[in-house]
Amino acid sequence: MRDERPKSILREFLDGEAAGGIILMVAAALALIVANSPLAEPYFAVLHAYLGPLSVSHWINDGLMAVFFLLVGLEIKREMLDGQLSTWPRRVLPGIAAAGGMVVPALVYVLINRDNQAAQSGWAIPTATDIAFALGVLSLLGSRVPASLKVFLTALAIIDDLGAVIIIALFYTSGLSLAYLAAAFVVIAVLIALNRMRVMNLLPYLVLGAVLWVLVLKSGVHATLAGVALALTVPLERSPGIGHDLEHSPLHRLEHGLHKLVPFIVIPIFGFANAGVSLGGLSFAALIEPLTLGVAAGLVLGKLVGVFGSSAIAIRLGFADLPVNAGWLHMLGISLLCGIGFTMSLFIGLLAFASDPALQDAVKVGILAGSLVAAVIGAAVLLAAPAAGGAEEDVE
């Protein structure tokens, strides 16, 4: 008999992200094809053309990506207050795995680039996991992967995104304008006041969010962080349970509204605009240049050692348990898939080497190579793992 129960928020999120990941793969592949075809010149010309005060590339990376960061902030807030990360026991394993999966890749990158001073600012590039891409790969594997493992990956990636937001705020901000920054804090204070007064209409939040984006852009802090700040002020009312109407909660309404826009429009546009890199003359020597190798090795080896190693230690010491119906081979495969660092890694790479297109291209090659290797090996390991019973259990 067909199950008529409505999908849980997390199940809907997983399905949407998986589909978005497949579209992102197509967008990235298309960008590579165009950048290495006769269309390359108009492709790059359009990206560098100006629309008003910003180039098309900047509108995408500073404007559209602010919407992506808004969704990231909404997901972080909801999961921390009313979702899979709402209690400390649920946070332990993905939290420890995310921490290991950020520290070790950074160390691998720094070690490989210890004599390459120009590349030092890119240490954070391999620390990120692309949840859409990773869930897209998992969706291709079907029921062989336990749903609990998908929840683990989602929770890990959300914590990972929180770490990336903090890294961008602390390490990739320069030339601050105190006047604009002060004005931005005034707008945030007004948003907090609206939250405290239980204003449930989304319109004032979105209007003030647009003002906040302009002020943050002018302040020297990366404009996308305005999206996160706005998200944290949007009111959330805790879910009463499956089947109940969540339309009364502004955060849920906004999040549901963005769940199609971001994975199916915003992220593919970003991927198409930034994955395009000329592969003409690419050689093995270029692939093992310290910058490119550091990014790729950080994603593949760093994520594997960081995520799997920290998870194994936490489980062996009794701090956490293996996800339900998952074994160590499943954990190994998931740890490898965490090395798919496409969207956030590209974004951090653009910030790290904003004034050097050549280094940006080297970063892109490293991200594409590392993410591809991590995806292929991770999928192969999961296919080799025993099919887990209960792989289709409902995710609340």
Side-chain angles (χ1 to χ4, degrees), residues 133-142 145 149-150 153 334 337 382:
F133 238 129
L135 287 174
V137 173
L138 282 184
S139 72
L140 298 177
L141 301 178
V145 181
L149 216 57
K150 298 175 184 178
L153 176 61
I334 284 294
L337 289 189
L382 288 171

Side-chain angles (χ1 to χ4, degrees), residues 96-117:
I96 291 174
M102 297 184 77
V103 172
V104 178
L107 292 176
V108 170
Y109 178 92
V110 170
L111 180 64
I112 293 175
N113 286 277
R114 61 189 181 279
D115 297 323
N116 185 8
Q117 190 63 36

Side-chain angles (χ1 to χ4, degrees), residues 5-385:
R5 290 180 302 168
K7 292 182 179 179
S8 67
I9 295 174
L10 185 59
R11 173 63 77 184
E12 183 177 308
F13 170 70
L14 289 171
D15 290 347
E17 288 287 339
I22 295 172
I23 293 175
L24 179 56
M25 295 178 199
V26 174
L30 186 60
L32 281 172
I33 292 171
V34 170
N36 291 276
S37 75
L39 296 174
E41 186 173 342
Y43 167 78
F44 289 111
V46 168
L47 290 176
H48 292 109
Y50 271 77
L51 289 176
L54 301 174
S55 67
V56 171
S57 178
H58 276 101
W59 278 117
I60 293 170
N61 296 335
D62 291 0
L64 273 184
M65 285 301 283
V67 180
F68 166 74
F69 275 82
L70 171 59
L71 180 58
V72 167
L74 293 171
E75 289 165 352
I76 289 171
K77 180 174 180 177
R78 174 177 53 75
E79 290 295 337
M80 288 291 186
L81 297 180
D82 191 35
Q84 290 297 317
L85 300 174
S86 60
T87 63
W88 282 109
R90 290 181 172 184
R91 296 171 187 166
V92 171
L93 185 60
I96 291 174
M102 297 184 77
V103 172
V104 178
L107 292 176
V108 170
Y109 178 92
V110 170
L111 180 64
I112 293 175
N113 286 277
R114 61 189 181 279
D115 297 323
N116 185 8
Q117 190 63 36
Q120 290 298 312
S121 62
W123 62 271
I125 295 170
T127 64
T129 293
D130 191 303
I131 186 173
F133 238 129
L135 287 174
V137 173
L138 282 184
S139 72
L140 298 177
L141 301 178
S143 61
R144 294 194 62 86
V145 181
S148 63
L149 216 57
K150 298 175 184 178
V151 173
F152 167 74
L153 176 61
T154 303
L156 184 155
I158 288 171
I159 297 172
D160 198 291
D161 282 344
L162 176 59
V165 168
I166 294 171
I167 287 172
I168 291 169
L170 294 179
F171 299 102
Y172 295 102
T173 293
S174 60
L176 289 178
S177 167
L178 295 181
Y180 280 111
L181 195 59
F185 277 115
V186 170
V187 174
I188 293 173
V190 174
L191 286 166
I192 293 173
L194 291 176
N195 182 301
R196 295 291 186 183
M197 291 187 295
R198 307 300 297 163
V199 175
M200 296 297 176
N201 188 334
L202 276 172
L203 184 59
Y205 292 96
L206 297 178
V207 171
L208 287 171
V211 174
L212 179 62
W213 179 82
V214 174
L215 294 173
V216 173
L217 177 68
K218 297 284 189 179
S219 74
V221 177
H222 201 273
T224 51
L225 296 180
V228 179
L230 172 61
L232 298 181
T233 66
V234 176
L236 167 68
E237 292 190 7
R238 292 174 182 255
S239 169
I242 293 178
H244 290 259
D245 185 11
L246 296 175
E247 292 303 309
H248 62 286
S249 177
L251 186 144
H252 285 102
R253 294 203 308 272
L254 183 55
E255 187 180 4
H256 279 268
L258 294 176
H259 262 160
K260 300 299 180 185
L261 175 67
V262 170
F264 297 118
I265 298 177
V266 172
I267 295 302
I269 290 175
F270 173 81
F272 180 74
N274 290 286
V277 57
S278 175
L279 302 178
L282 184 66
S283 63
F284 179 75
L287 289 174
I288 60 173
E289 283 291 320
L291 176 55
T292 303
L293 182 61
V295 171
L299 288 172
V300 179
L301 297 178
K303 282 289 186 181
L304 172 61
V305 174
V307 173
F308 186 80
S310 59
S311 298
I313 291 171
I315 292 168
R316 291 298 187 190
L317 292 178
F319 296 143
D321 297 320
L322 274 168
V324 178
N325 296 315
W328 287 109
L329 203 54
H330 291 108
M331 289 296 292
L332 186 66
I334 284 294
S335 299
L336 282 160
L337 289 189
C338 286
I340 303 174
F342 190 80
T343 304
M344 197 68 84
S345 291
L346 275 177
F347 189 77
I348 294 174
L350 294 173
L351 297 180
F353 304 112
S355 60
D356 196 326
L359 292 183
Q360 287 183 358
D361 285 347
V363 166
K364 291 177 183 179
V365 172
I367 292 171
L368 293 170
S371 296
L372 178 61
V373 171
V376 171
I377 300 178
V381 170
L382 288 171
L383 284 172

